[in-house]
Amino acid sequence: MENLTSPTNNIENTTNLIMQAFRHFKVQANEVLTYEQLIPYLEEHDEHNHFKDVQREAEFHLTKEAYATPDAAGLRLTPVGYNTLQENKEVK
C-alpha cells in the first residue's frame, strides 16, 4: 500500500477499507459491523494508521452515499451498500 498523504486519499482509502471490512465479516444488509470488529481490522489493514485521522469523514461519506448508517455499536450496512459489495464495485 502506498504511503497516503492527502486527506482526500486517506478518506477514500479508509472508506474502501470499511467496505472491505463489511465484506470480510460477511455483514448482511441492515446488520451492524461493530467498532470492536472494525477498529482492529483497520489497524491491521492500514499500515500507517491514517484511518485514525479520517475515520469520521469516511463514515460520513458512507452515510452520505447511503452505503451505511451510524449505529450505537458501529455502522449498519444499508441495502445499497450491500448491493455495492455484491457487485464488487469500488466506493468513490
Side-chain angles (χ1 to χ4, degrees):
M1 178 174 298
E2 74 243 35
N3 184 4
L4 303 174
T5 54
S6 132
T8 302
N9 286 345
N10 290 342
I11 293 167
E12 185 175 315
N13 183 57
T14 301
T15 300
N16 282 304
L17 282 175
I18 292 170
M19 291 298 283
Q20 289 170 23
F22 278 123
R23 180 178 287 122
H24 174 80
F25 291 106
K26 298 177 174 52
V27 178
Q28 301 296 306
N30 297 311
E31 290 182 352
V32 174
L33 173 66
T34 67
Y35 287 122
E36 286 146 2
Q37 295 169 304
L38 178 60
I39 300 303
Y41 183 89
L42 292 175
E43 288 172 342
E44 181 180 337
H45 292 86
D46 183 351
E47 64 186 67
H48 300 288
N49 285 327
H50 290 297
F51 77 90
K52 291 181 179 181
D53 297 327
V54 297
Q55 183 178 348
R56 281 186 203 265
E57 290 92 340
E59 290 178 12
F60 178 75
H61 181 72
L62 289 172
T63 300
K64 186 177 73 172
E65 297 298 321
Y67 295 127
T69 57
D71 184 272
L75 291 172
R76 183 175 303 277
L77 186 64
T78 66
V80 171
Y82 181 78
N83 289 339
T84 299
L85 291 175
Q86 296 309 300
E87 296 167 8
N88 284 321
K89 289 183 182 172
E90 194 155 300
V91 177
K92 295 289 181 204

